[in-house]
Amino acid sequence: PTWGGGVVGARDATEEQWQSAVDGLREFCDLAPHIEFCLECHEGSLMEDSPSTLKLIRGVNRSNLTVNLQLPLRGEEWGKSILALGPYTTHMHIHNWTRGFGQGEWTFLCEGAFDWIPVISRLGEWGRTICLSVEHADHNGRHNPWETARRDGQFLRQIRASCTD
């Protein structure tokens, strides 16, 4: 696995592990139907690409199980990920990189090489409210998190305005 102890990636999981995950998630969803549970898509987990995430979503089959989409997903272009997981997405970790989509070092959203507006616009096609959150605000120690909050906050307001026009 790429992170965390005991984490099993989708490619390495056994059928028993998949079923255990489905059963456990279904139990959580049923115990608190008024709470939304969000699966964070992340390489090295059962939610590392669209097919594996959909396997869990469809297996659990509960409306309160949604997706925290963290692009890029393993082996996918962002459009494919949005097409597959957009209907289930309620949260998104948003990053930007110095050299392009998932390439280079993390940097401020407004200074990165990737344009997030088409992604957010496409997600809006499903009519869901989506929470965008900036993760790793220090960009691996390269920037002060307060400066990131100042710059990225302003940029997120611009994204919101452009996607609601």
Side-chain angles (χ1 to χ4, degrees):
T2 58
W3 51 272
V7 178
V8 176
R11 295 171 284 182
D12 301 321
T14 65
E15 281 307 313
E16 293 80 20
Q17 289 168 319
W18 277 104
Q19 192 59 53
S20 178
V22 166
D23 293 344
L25 287 166
R26 188 179 298 133
E27 183 177 349
F28 271 107
C29 290
D30 289 347
L31 285 171
H34 57 287
I35 294 176
E36 180 180 286
F37 294 94
C38 213
L39 299 173
E40 181 178 349
C41 297
H42 202 294
E43 188 169 354
S45 74
L46 290 181
M47 297 81 58
E48 65 186 357
D49 57 23
S50 294
S52 62
T53 305
L54 289 171
K55 182 175 181 175
L56 285 174
I57 292 280
R58 291 174 178 154
V60 173
N61 194 27
R62 297 296 186 267
S63 62
N64 60 331
L65 184 63
T66 65
V67 170
N68 174 351
L69 187 57
Q70 181 169 298
L71 299 174
L73 298 185
R74 183 181 58 82
E76 292 181 13
E77 293 188 17
W78 71 263
K80 178 182 176 189
S81 302
I82 298 296
L83 187 61
L85 299 176
Y88 307 99
T89 299
T90 57
H91 191 114
M92 177 176 246
H93 286 166
I94 187 170
H95 306 90
N96 215 331
W97 306 269
T98 55
R99 293 194 322 256
F101 183 60
Q103 300 175 359
E105 297 183 65
W106 283 328
T107 191
F108 302 109
L109 294 174
C110 61
E111 292 179 10
F114 183 70
D115 182 5
W116 279 99
I117 292 175
V119 174
I120 305 307
S121 294
R122 291 272 303 276
L123 279 173
E125 293 173 6
W126 282 276
R128 296 187 85 132
T129 298
I130 299 169
C131 174
L132 301 179
S133 63
V134 177
E135 192 178 35
H136 311 293
D138 72 345
H139 307 124
N140 285 336
R142 293 179 56 237
H143 298 118
N144 181 312
W146 289 108
E147 181 65 11
T148 300
R150 187 182 70 74
R151 291 186 190 197
D152 286 354
Q154 181 179 10
F155 190 70
L156 287 168
R157 284 191 297 277
Q158 291 171 353
I159 288 176
R160 180 175 156 191
S162 71
C163 292
T164 57
D165 290 341

